[in-house]
Amino acid sequence: MEDLATPPVEIEIPAPVRLVAPRVNCQIAFVGTPASEAPRAEVHAWLAKLGLLTAPMTEGRVVIEAVDQDHKERRYRVRMDLTMPHGVVTVGHDHPNNGAHEDIYVAIRNAFRAGRRELTAYSLSHGAPAPVDLPSSI
């Protein structure tokens, strides 16, 4: 007698984007592009990577903006304002290392790399030693 049981079907489960606990005190806004969970998770992952540099942050605002509405040439800019105990650290569009980019994740990466430099300068100017646990690759 034949075995009529159906063979097991392999189901591929997609890997999660990045499981990072979101910072409650950081707002992420999208301008000119629909809000998406993956770029939002990328921002939270970068905030986590910056660790001690963003630990004293009391509030943050990150704006992801599509600057060209033509879908073939869409470029993204990221601006961030991180409120620290003694002032606001801002990385805007005019920062030399934060130009518009055609890949939203590269735009986020570039903004946070510029932000890391600004946060390090902020920490040093306010008497805190710069964290040494940050790899130079971020």
Side-chain angles (χ1 to χ4, degrees), residues 2-138:
E2 287 182 40
D3 184 12
L4 298 176
T6 58
V9 177
E10 290 187 31
I11 299 173
E12 185 176 326
I13 300 172
V17 176
R18 281 195 180 158
L19 297 177
V20 176
R23 298 281 296 256
V24 176
N25 55 353
C26 186
Q27 298 175 6
I28 302 167
F30 294 83
V31 176
T33 186
S36 176
E37 196 56 38
R40 190 182 310 271
E42 187 74 5
V43 168
H44 287 296
W46 273 101
L47 287 168
K49 280 183 191 178
L50 293 177
L52 293 176
L53 287 173
T54 58
M57 183 176 82
T58 58
E59 184 179 2
R61 179 162 172 80
V62 177
V63 178
I64 300 170
E65 177 184 9
V67 292
D68 296 324
Q69 296 303 317
D70 180 14
H71 291 288
K72 292 181 182 178
E73 298 295 325
R74 180 166 281 181
R75 297 177 70 78
Y76 298 93
R77 292 189 301 204
V78 177
R79 174 186 169 85
M80 65 177 106
D81 298 307
L82 307 177
T83 305
M84 306 301 273
H86 301 290
V88 177
V89 174
T90 299
V91 176
H93 310 310
D94 56 345
H95 193 282
N97 297 330
N98 190 25
H101 201 278
E102 62 270 4
D103 185 320
I104 194 168
Y105 300 102
V106 173
I108 293 169
R109 181 199 68 199
N110 290 349
F112 273 94
R113 284 182 173 173
R116 180 195 59 202
R117 289 185 284 278
E118 296 297 322
L119 286 165
T120 300
Y122 170 86
S123 293
L124 292 174
S125 70
H126 289 89
V132 293
D133 64 340
L134 289 174
S136 62
S137 63
I138 67 166

